[in-house]
Amino acid sequence: MMTEHEFEPTVTHATLKQIIDNVPMPCILRDAECTMLHHNKAAANMFACEADETDFTGEYEELSPPFQPDGSPSMRKYLVLMRHILEQGQPIKLEWLYCRRDKELIPTEVTLMRVEVGGEPHVLEFLQDLRESYQARLAEREVKQRLQVMMDSCPVTCGIVDAHFNVLEVNNVVMSLFGILNKQTFLDRFFELSPEYQPDGQLSRRKALDKLKQAFEAGRVHYEWLHQSIYGEQIPCEVTLVRVQLSEQNMAIIYIHDLREIKKSIEMMEKMESIAYTDELTGLFSRRYFVENATAALERAKANKEPFHLIMADLDHFKAVNDTYGHPIGDEVLKITAKRMTGVTRQGSIIARYGGEEFIVMLTGMSHDAALKTAQRIQKSMEESAITIKGMSLNVTVSLGIASHSDPTESLDDIVHKADVALYGAKRTGRNKVMEYENAKDLKW
């Protein structure tokens, strides 16, 4: 019974030659002594020879370099393969290095097949030129090498992910980022190094795939991501995905930037800003914050032709409180005064400690009468309720001056000055009262 790879024993050389001539790939017929009996035009073209058989026959060594890439002598290795195929009869597929007459090397995939011709064993040799394939492999290898160099020189964690967000490669920075001993841990456990859900409520795996899809469509995507170390420590990161093509497949370069130090710096800056804009003792706004925001509010009021008022307040005889009870008690008085002022002032107004025992209030979007009533509520809140500290009851009052914006050319300093004049008038005319600038400006001291 003949095998699927054998020809009919009665096949003639002429018939076989005709078959070989019509094979679309390079094909050679050899006898049991390795002598080339026939080849097709594709084989002649591959070896840069004329199609004429006499130009392309001869010793086998002419078609191969002396040695194969594995160090084996070409002739000896080929004879072993021929003997094997002739004895065993099963086809053999292997890679072989041929060479043309001009000595150009030709990496080739060879399939050897035994056939019976006139009852004698012969070998058919089918060749597939791998030069283009090798060039493609070399080009791809060069791309991968360049990518590897790029990743290794990158100061942030950098890697390659496939279309399923499997991490294929990563640089060594990942070990310090996650506190791991080797890169393989990151490759194998990427989604274990992220919480199940991201801070925005999305499943980590779902969000990663969505971002990868966006990168494939747009070429690049940038987003924040929460990683975690193997010990559960949260690692806020900034991630960039850049689309690349490797092995004719869409992949992405992933850059992971650790934001912990940046966030610490931001938190420190916010804390410093809070200190600069908040009075540490009373919790009210600082003078600096007041000046910056009141200046902007005054400009808006001018542009929109809206009212703008300032109230200056100063505790009466506060020096006597400090001298009699000490500064710690005086500090408590300032804290309680700040709370009372906040409690009787409309939400949205700016109240600041202006210095020492002096406070300032900015009021917008209300009439002069409404602003005057606010000042009167502050005065009454201090006058009508004694301040109790450590069992002591202290009667502390406050004097207030109020001024309103009335001239388009006025600056904030101008209005502060008017409110200060009104406050001075309240002090000089008995204290524990509210005085308007219009009533104080003409007083004779």
Side-chain angles (χ1 to χ4, degrees), residues 298-299 301-303 305 404-412 414-415 418:
L298 175 59
E299 293 306 312
K302 288 180 180 179
K305 297 182 179 181
S404 301
H405 158 60
S406 58
D407 186 340
T409 64
E410 284 182 320
S411 66
L412 180 66
D414 294 332
I415 305 174
K418 291 197 300 185

Side-chain angles (χ1 to χ4, degrees), residues 27 36 55 87 173 180 198 334 338 366 377:
C27 184
M36 182 188 300
D55 188 55
E87 292 176 356
V173 182
I180 53 182
Q198 288 297 300
L334 292 173
M366 63 173 64
R377 287 198 299 272

Side-chain angles (χ1 to χ4, degrees), residues 301-315:
K302 288 180 180 179
N304 299 325
K305 297 182 179 181
E306 295 175 345
F308 179 93
H309 317 282
L310 292 182
I311 298 171
M312 295 287 290
D314 188 87
L315 294 179

Side-chain angles (χ1 to χ4, degrees), residues 292-303 306-308 350 362 364:
E292 290 181 8
N293 284 269
T295 299
L298 175 59
E299 293 306 312
R300 289 195 298 271
K302 288 180 180 179
E306 295 175 345
F308 179 93
I350 295 179
M362 181 193 80
T364 57

Side-chain angles (χ1 to χ4, degrees), residues 75-99:
M75 191 60 187
R76 183 186 303 168
K77 184 173 183 177
Y78 194 81
L79 289 174
V80 171
L81 292 169
M82 285 287 289
R83 188 180 306 117
H84 178 83
I85 188 69
L86 290 169
E87 292 176 356
Q88 301 298 323
Q90 296 298 317
I92 299 175
K93 183 177 287 189
L94 66 146
E95 288 195 1
W96 190 265
L97 189 61
Y98 279 115
C99 67

Side-chain angles (χ1 to χ4, degrees), residues 4 36-37 47 56 141 155 157 194 214 220-221 226 255 290 300 324 359 362 377 398 444:
E4 61 177 314
M36 182 188 300
L37 302 178
F47 290 99
F56 190 42
R141 187 180 305 163
T157 295
S194 300
Q214 292 176 29
R220 177 187 297 262
V221 69
L226 185 63
Y255 299 91
F290 175 83
R300 289 195 298 271
T324 304
F359 301 86
M362 181 193 80
R377 287 198 299 272
V398 64
K444 304 297 181 183

